[in-house]
Amino acid sequence: MNLRMASGQAHTGSKLVRWCRRIGVFTTALLAVTVLAVAVSAQLTLLPGEEITPSGQKRNQAVYVTMSDGTRIAVDIWLPETYSSGQTLPAILYMTRYQRAQQIGWLQRAFIGLGLTSSDGISGLPVDLFNASGIAFIKVDARGSGASFGRRDIEMSPEEIADYGEIAQWVTQQPWSNGKIGAVGVSYAGNTAELITATQHPAIKAVAPLYNDFDAQFGLVQPGGAKSAFLDSWGDFVGKLDRNDVCALADANGLKCLLVRFWSPGVKPVDGSDGPPLLKAALEEHLQNTPVAEGFSKINFRDDTFGSTQLTSAAVSGYGLRREIEASGVVFHVRTGWLDAATTDGALSRYRTFSNSQKLIIGPYSHGGATDTDPFSAPDAPAIPTREEQWRDIVQFFVNEFSEHGTHWDGKSIEYYTMGAGIWRNTTSWPPQGLTEQTFYFDRNGILATKVPGVERASDVYTVDISASSGGHTRWHTNLGLGDVVYPDRKNEDSRLLTYTSAPLATSMEITGTPVLTFFVSTNKQDGVFHAYLEAVAPNGRVIYLTEGILRAQQRKITSANLPYFQDGPPHSYLREDALPVVPGKEMEISIGLYATSIVVPKDYRLRIALAGADLAMFKPLPEDNASPEWTVFYGSARPSRLILPSREYPQ
């Protein structure tokens, strides 16, 4: 305890004494009895996981597993409530760096005992569903996080992934294991569920990476080469987690901080009297972790390395371990959302690149699948199917894969939702069959025309508004807390951007696949970022976000060489050797694949392309001089700036 904390507690204690004197002896006695009742309630309350199974074991046990390099990894074992001695079970691994479990403080336990709050979230929805299906659920703290020992210089390091292979081996040696293992997870845990397959452990039969990043660098942290502020927020969050700073996480000080600690002191230690001191020792090691944003601060290209590790993003991403993952033969069940960062584009790249059997489901989901993000639905609409229904489907997938005689998934299939129409479809090919390319051209007076402009060469000058922003609930924000994706009416925002708008649609149009935008532009700067938004303009003037694309000017080279995976739309390698200089005043061709979508734009709506040079909602301005770049955008028959939509007429 430091002096500041000691003096603060002493001050609080003296205040408490004075307060008790004021309220009188009777009231003080009543308060004491109430506190005693709460404490007794806390002691008598039995929480999920503390039940004794027919085997005589607690349903939930927390232990350390020692890796081959001596690092101790914290593991929680959840067995079914009906587990009996001698019974053998398949197991699911859930590997996270967000703390596998939190301690239940005496205050929270008392609230549960008094019926003032629920204990439903302690085990967690997937745990209960898997256990109910006779599957053990194993939660793992990644090395250097939670209650695990070790340090972290980079996320999803080769050492971390190797740990998971060793955990799988440990699972097979447990008396309750039948030797069959799967892995599941959302977001970061979805990444680890994918990457464990690279260990090629024979016990791993199937995995479900949910809402995860196939290419975290260019799908989330630097989409299109732009510098996202994502790592600043995320890095700050996981740094507090790694220090187990519950008060900082809750933004709590003083008495509020004390109450937070009474509610939960933070990450759960392993069982036994030595659990708390071991946790303290593990947290000391976490202080050596390299801050996430610092490790990424000098990364701009795909082949840049992370500090002293000499590792590129390929070493810590699914796409970079293609050979190992394909050789594993593991079956994938994947879920993503159309407006969940670029998780869908990554999943489609995996689908079209990897030979593994894959079941891909793309819905109108926020990160984690809690809310419906269809822009034609009401804000805060719940996801359909619900998260519980999604998890039940995932559990059934594993039940089938673990079964000796069940229906095992073989081959590839995509089930996708078309927004604005409210329908689910199935396809084995992507893009689906039956689509044609419809081209729209930039034209004078901000028109998006269906024919090549009659003028040979024309241009529009645009001074970039560096304060432009898409709001605080975009596709890039949902990764920071599983929140909804809501783009407000963009009418006012578009007044600050360079826009090209079509005539009203004669029939409803379905857009499914990757729209491609190509335009010709010069700038007065030596670099810059182009943000392109595809929008629908309603007859009443409301502007609806559909999808977007991003590209840093230096990354504009189109190449089919050195690509790590299949890319829909114009392929960019993002390699340093393929960087192109930006010469002020010199015309450039910019081709951007907008993020994949499936959506129906109603009849009488107009389509719009809105161009921006900044989006402070999540991206850092480039160049960093805070001066507004000036663009000249060219179009006409000699320079056909255009939008190509994979589309078809949608029945009225």
Side-chain angles (χ1 to χ4, degrees):
M1 178 184 298
N2 60 42
L3 292 177
R4 184 176 180 182
M5 289 177 61
S7 63
Q9 289 183 355
H11 179 64
T12 301
S14 63
K15 287 177 64 177
L16 181 61
V17 170
R18 291 196 301 271
W19 181 72
C20 288
R21 287 174 180 166
R22 290 194 189 103
I23 64 176
V25 176
F26 175 78
T27 307
T28 302
L30 182 61
L31 177 63
V33 170
T34 302
V35 171
L36 180 62
V38 169
V40 170
S41 175
Q43 292 299 317
L44 295 178
T45 300
L46 192 67
L47 300 177
E50 296 176 346
E51 313 98 326
I52 303 300
T53 66
S55 69
Q57 303 177 63
K58 275 200 318 179
R59 181 185 171 204
N60 176 216
Q61 304 164 56
V63 301
Y64 275 122
V65 181
T66 303
M67 301 293 98
S68 57
D69 67 355
T71 302
R72 286 172 288 189
I73 302 299
V75 171
D76 260 24
I77 308 159
W78 284 85
L79 298 172
E81 292 183 59
T82 57
Y83 175 71
S84 300
S85 297
Q87 183 182 4
T88 58
L89 311 168
I92 288 292
L93 292 176
Y94 182 91
M95 302 151 291
T96 182
R97 61 108 59 255
Y98 298 140
Q99 300 184 348
R100 77 198 190 287
Q102 284 74 47
Q103 297 182 62
I104 305 301
W106 69 266
L107 183 60
Q108 184 179 175
R109 183 182 286 267
F111 267 56
I112 293 171
L114 295 170
L116 300 176
T117 191
S118 172
S119 64
D120 292 346
I122 292 176
S123 56
L125 174 66
V127 173
D128 291 336
L129 291 178
F130 278 104
N131 277 181
S133 295
I135 301 172
F137 200 91
I138 314 300
K139 294 182 177 181
V140 182
D141 275 334
R143 69 163 53 207
S145 75
S148 288
F149 285 79
R151 60 172 290 174
R152 304 178 69 81
D153 291 317
I154 187 174
E155 302 301 308
M156 294 168 284
S157 68
E159 293 80 11
E160 179 183 341
I161 303 309
D163 290 344
Y164 302 141
E166 293 193 44
I167 295 291
Q169 179 61 26
W170 173 82
V171 167
T172 64
Q173 297 168 350
Q174 302 312 298
W176 45 261
S177 171
N178 70 0
K180 296 180 180 180
I181 298 174
V184 70
V186 173
S187 194
Y188 189 98
N191 293 340
T192 59
E194 175 172 12
L195 294 175
I196 194 175
T197 63
T199 68
Q200 299 180 42
H201 194 286
I204 300 170
K205 306 301 181 183
V207 296
L210 311 173
Y211 310 95
N212 81 308
D213 300 294
F214 181 64
D215 180 352
Q217 181 179 2
F218 290 100
L220 179 62
V221 179
Q222 294 179 342
K227 284 280 190 178
S228 170
F230 172 84
L231 277 189
D232 296 335
S233 297
W234 188 78
D236 178 67
F237 169 68
V238 296
K240 292 172 182 175
L241 280 178
D242 294 347
R243 297 189 301 273
N244 202 34
D245 192 344
V246 294
C247 290
L249 287 164
D251 193 22
N253 296 301
L255 180 59
K256 184 178 178 183
C257 173
L258 193 63
L259 291 173
V260 167
R261 292 188 180 280
F262 288 160
W263 190 263
S264 174
V267 64
K268 175 185 173 185
V270 299
D271 295 340
S273 59
D274 58 347
L278 285 172
L279 173 60
K280 182 179 179 181
L283 293 173
E284 288 291 329
E285 292 194 3
H286 299 176
L287 297 177
Q288 302 175 48
N289 290 353
T290 299
V292 174
E294 176 185 316
F296 223 103
S297 61
K298 297 181 180 179
I299 303 294
N300 290 293
F301 297 91
R302 192 182 295 281
D303 45 350
D304 287 348
T305 57
F306 293 82
S308 61
T309 68
Q310 298 303 303
L311 297 172
T312 67
S313 64
V316 296
S317 299
Y319 76 84
L321 299 172
R322 174 185 176 182
R323 181 176 61 184
E324 294 84 353
I325 292 174
E326 287 186 320
S328 74
V330 171
V331 181
F332 280 65
H333 176 114
V334 181
R335 282 181 180 266
T336 67
W338 287 121
L339 298 184
D340 175 23
T343 58
T344 291
D345 290 74
L348 289 169
S349 290
R350 182 197 299 112
Y351 185 89
R352 300 189 69 176
T353 303
F354 284 19
S355 60
N356 301 67
S357 291
Q358 299 173 55
K359 179 180 182 181
L360 171 57
I361 300 173
I362 310 170
Y365 302 134
S366 58
H367 196 55
T371 58
D372 178 1
T373 61
D374 186 336
F376 291 99
S377 296
D380 300 320
I384 299 176
T386 65
R387 287 189 76 188
E388 180 171 345
E389 290 168 335
Q390 294 172 48
W391 274 111
R392 289 187 183 280
D393 182 48
I394 293 162
V395 171
Q396 188 59 52
F397 163 77
F398 282 106
V399 168
N400 292 341
E401 294 303 320
F402 289 148
S403 172
E404 294 290 345
H405 309 291
T407 303
H408 297 260
W409 190 263
D410 186 29
K412 294 183 179 182
S413 178
I414 300 175
E415 183 179 354
Y416 69 97
Y417 182 90
T418 299
M419 298 179 290
I423 58 173
W424 287 91
R425 293 170 166 152
N426 289 280
T427 182
T428 56
S429 61
W430 193 264
Q433 296 181 352
L435 296 159
T436 59
E437 292 186 345
Q438 184 164 352
T439 304
F440 294 83
Y441 299 91
F442 291 11
D443 205 343
R444 289 168 293 185
N445 301 315
I447 291 175
L448 196 60
T450 56
K451 296 181 180 180
V452 177
V455 63
E456 181 178 354
R457 186 180 179 90
S459 63
D460 292 321
V461 176
Y462 170 61
T463 300
V464 171
D465 188 331
I466 61 173
S467 65
S469 171
S470 294
H473 299 279
T474 72
R475 67 191 302 148
W476 308 108
H477 288 84
T478 184
N479 276 252
L480 289 173
L482 310 183
D484 200 0
V485 179
V486 179
Y487 287 85
D489 183 349
R490 292 180 56 82
K491 180 178 180 179
N492 291 335
E493 188 64 22
D494 279 1
S495 67
R496 305 157 67 185
L497 309 182
L498 178 62
T499 63
Y500 296 89
T501 308
S502 76
L505 296 176
T507 61
S508 295
M509 175 189 289
E510 176 193 335
I511 304 168
T512 295
T514 299
V516 175
L517 177 66
T518 299
F519 60 98
F520 300 87
V521 62
S522 66
T523 177
N524 62 345
K525 300 291 184 178
Q526 293 183 328
D527 201 0
V529 175
F530 299 100
H531 298 264
Y533 306 93
L534 177 60
E535 302 166 337
V537 183
N540 64 3
R542 177 172 175 249
V543 180
I544 301 165
Y545 172 98
L546 303 180
T547 187
E548 69 185 85
I550 308 171
L551 188 65
R552 183 175 179 176
Q554 287 185 0
Q555 309 274 28
R556 67 188 183 278
K557 182 177 179 179
I558 298 175
T559 177
S560 58
N562 302 318
L563 297 179
Y565 51 79
F566 184 90
Q567 295 180 31
D568 282 307
H572 303 284
S573 73
Y574 300 110
L575 295 173
R576 185 170 288 275
E577 66 184 66
D578 288 331
L580 296 176
V582 178
V583 180
K586 185 175 181 180
E587 185 179 315
M588 302 176 288
E589 182 177 348
I590 303 295
S591 288
I592 307 175
L594 309 189
Y595 295 109
T597 189
S598 183
I599 193 164
V600 170
V601 181
K603 175 186 176 183
D604 296 327
Y605 279 58
R606 294 175 291 160
L607 296 173
R608 172 176 289 173
I609 281 290
L611 297 177
D615 189 344
L616 295 187
M618 184 57 77
F619 297 95
K620 301 177 181 180
L622 188 71
E624 301 173 354
D625 57 9
N626 292 321
S628 296
E630 185 174 278
W631 297 349
T632 302
V633 175
F634 303 95
Y635 50 88
S637 59
R639 290 290 184 268
S641 293
R642 59 201 179 275
L643 169 68
I644 300 177
L645 297 177
S647 60
R648 56 189 161 199
E649 183 178 322
Y650 187 78
Q652 301 301 312

